[in-house]
Amino acid sequence: MTGEWREATLEELHTYYTETFPNQLDALPSFLTASGPKQYAIAFREAYPIRKQNAPNRSFIRRDTWQTSDSGERTVQQFGSVDDLVEFFQYPARYDPAQGSNYALADPDLLERPEPRPDAVYYALDHWERPWVLAVDIDAKDIAAQRASSDSSDGKADDVGTEQLRATGILDSPPEAYPYTFDDIEQALEYGFAVRDIFEDDFAADETMVVYSGQGCHVYLLDADRQHHYDEQSREVINDLLLDEYEIPIDPVVTADRRRVMRLPYSIHADVSRVVQPIDDPGFDFRTEATPEFLQS
């Protein structure tokens, strides 16, 4: 089962976050703390009610790491420690830091339904202790769409649909029924390390990181830029450089939008049952080396 590519069950996810994830905390990148990112976020497979009456159930929630004053100054830390943060991932409704608010998740003891389990865990690129974290997202499905678009009449990857993916053999190639092939993930990792080299060569970056994201990779430039703090204009320049000059199919919105969230390293990408994690080599064997314990039996 080690190489199996499938959606994780909610019970498998709960077991991972309660038994395996706590052992990975020392390996988290240093900027990921209980009070550093301005928010952490959780996605649910099934929407869960909040306390406000007649409000729609929520399938995605963001939680601030600090309460702030009207002027935006930090006042009260929402997660007292990393352990508090992990409890929120494990039991989101029971340990929701928004307790006391109508927008907190409903008390699971008062409902005739199980407590929600995280389908995905994220953190915000916007950060309290450092400039906005600069990240580039490279997704295998975008590479596959670009490949399939070469056969379309207008050549636009945004217009690629299921029929084109099937016609080019993508949907019928391993992993079957996914909108990409394993070759596309391998290409995404190659691109990721190419971006890392660009950061190091063109921007003299000393601190970079490539993270296998489950269906592609995230590339970080973590140096502090004293002149620009990698502001909006700087990020647009980086987007243009990677897309136009180097022709690397990144998601430019991720780089440019400070409201974006990214998958938390060592969380599970539930769609494929793989561990999100930093990697050192484009030859990383994601089919076996990113396998969680629940697939190793």
Side-chain angles (χ1 to χ4, degrees):
M1 295 176 62
T2 300
E4 189 175 4
W5 202 261
R6 63 164 174 81
E7 184 178 57
T9 69
L10 293 179
E11 190 56 40
E12 287 169 340
L13 292 169
H14 179 63
T15 299
Y16 179 83
Y17 287 112
T18 55
E19 297 181 7
T20 304
F21 180 76
N23 298 325
Q24 307 292 340
L25 297 180
D26 289 342
L28 285 174
S30 60
F31 60 89
L32 293 174
T33 66
S35 58
K38 290 190 176 180
Q39 293 179 328
Y40 283 95
I42 294 177
F44 303 120
R45 191 167 298 174
E46 297 179 1
Y48 190 82
I50 61 173
R51 298 189 177 193
K52 185 177 181 180
Q53 292 186 353
N54 301 319
N57 295 350
R58 303 299 170 86
S59 59
F60 182 82
I61 59 170
R62 293 174 179 257
R63 292 296 181 259
D64 295 338
T65 55
W66 287 85
Q67 293 180 19
T68 58
S69 65
D70 291 339
S71 62
E73 296 296 319
R74 286 177 280 178
T75 56
V76 179
Q77 188 174 327
Q78 294 288 76
F79 300 103
S81 66
V82 172
D83 289 340
D84 292 341
L85 180 63
V86 172
E87 285 183 332
F88 172 55
F89 298 157
Q90 295 169 340
Y91 303 97
R94 197 169 304 280
Y95 293 103
D96 189 343
Q99 299 289 351
S101 164
N102 283 336
Y103 294 95
L105 297 174
D107 187 338
D109 292 335
L110 302 179
L111 301 179
E112 294 182 359
R113 59 182 298 171
E115 178 161 1
R117 306 298 190 210
D119 194 55
V121 178
Y122 304 92
Y123 72 94
L125 292 175
D126 209 2
H127 204 278
W128 284 111
E129 303 296 342
R130 57 181 298 140
W132 175 21
V133 178
L134 196 160
V136 169
D137 181 27
I138 305 173
D139 199 311
K141 69 176 182 295
D142 294 330
I143 295 172
Q146 187 180 64
R147 194 154 52 86
S149 70
S150 63
D151 295 330
S152 68
S153 58
D154 57 13
K156 293 182 179 180
D158 290 344
D159 297 332
V160 170
T162 300
E163 290 185 6
Q164 283 174 282
L165 292 174
R166 191 173 303 282
T168 53
I170 291 172
L171 292 181
D172 297 322
S173 299
E176 288 81 1
Y178 284 85
Y180 53 79
T181 70
F182 285 136
D183 287 345
D184 295 313
I185 299 180
E186 292 169 359
Q187 180 64 70
L189 300 186
E190 292 283 352
Y191 279 138
F193 281 88
V195 171
R196 184 201 64 176
D197 292 343
I198 292 167
F199 285 162
E200 294 176 353
D201 296 341
D202 293 11
F203 296 90
D206 292 322
E207 189 178 2
T208 59
M209 181 173 64
V210 180
V211 173
Y212 166 64
S213 63
Q215 298 182 127
C217 69
H218 302 151
V219 190
Y220 293 87
L221 198 170
L222 298 170
D223 289 7
D225 175 0
R226 297 178 181 177
Q227 181 176 0
H228 301 292
H229 297 295
Y230 292 115
D231 57 13
E232 286 86 346
Q233 184 176 3
S234 301
R235 290 160 186 267
E236 292 296 345
V237 170
I238 290 172
N239 276 341
D240 291 343
L241 177 71
L242 296 178
L243 285 167
D244 298 333
E245 182 172 339
Y246 289 101
E247 298 184 340
I248 296 175
I250 68 171
D251 181 346
V253 178
V254 170
T255 307
D257 183 2
R258 70 184 312 131
R259 284 281 298 169
R260 297 291 292 201
V261 297
M262 299 292 274
R263 289 185 183 273
L264 184 70
Y266 301 103
S267 66
I268 290 284
H269 193 306
D271 290 349
V272 295
S273 295
R274 287 299 179 274
V275 180
V276 177
Q277 59 188 284
I279 60 176
D280 297 321
D281 188 277
F284 175 74
D285 186 354
F286 51 87
R287 279 172 277 189
T288 58
E289 296 182 55
T291 306
E293 290 184 2
F294 60 75
L295 283 183
Q296 293 180 8
S297 58

